[in-house]
Amino acid sequence: QVQLVESGGGLVQPGGSLRLSCVVSGNIFTIYTMSWYRQHPEKQRELVAQITDTGSTDYASSVKGRFTISRDNDKNTMHLQMNSLTPEDTGVYYCNSDLSYAPSGYPIRVNSWGQGTQVTVSS
């Protein structure tokens, strides 16, 4: 089985920072694109940032210049450094990964989600 586990969420004041982490476990063959999504209770889930296996990154326009996505391939982890946070950044942040694993000796490609971690930006 493949599991994605997020951590690092919490309550922070406007202008503050948080660093989210996602750990991927299982018989991983290759992790391609890793992404962070977020969802506010009254909004649609949106793509925040993503990073490919070659290191290419992309960000939602609302977070460009404030958030930085990174990955550590040796540890099958990725991070999201969030700076200059605003109340609009509040939501549940989900880790997503396009990856392949080998449960039977050959790779199977899947798209997996974590359970999410709550981020609240408030005074």
Side-chain angles (χ1 to χ4, degrees), residues 28-29 63 65-68 70 73 76 79 81-83 95:
I28 305 301
F29 184 76
V63 307
R66 300 188 297 120
F67 291 10
T68 302
S70 61
N73 294 328
N76 289 338
H79 306 279
Q81 179 65 48
M82 305 187 295
N83 299 325
C95 176

Side-chain angles (χ1 to χ4, degrees), residues 38-45 87 90-92:
R38 69 185 179 190
Q39 185 172 12
H40 187 276
E42 302 298 327
K43 300 178 180 179
Q44 296 281 1
R45 185 174 299 187
T90 293
V92 179

Side-chain angles (χ1 to χ4, degrees), residues 74-95:
D74 292 334
K75 297 181 178 181
N76 289 338
T77 63
M78 75 164 174
H79 306 279
L80 184 67
Q81 179 65 48
M82 305 187 295
N83 299 325
S84 301
L85 287 163
T86 75
E88 299 302 315
D89 296 316
T90 293
V92 179
Y93 283 68
Y94 295 91
C95 176

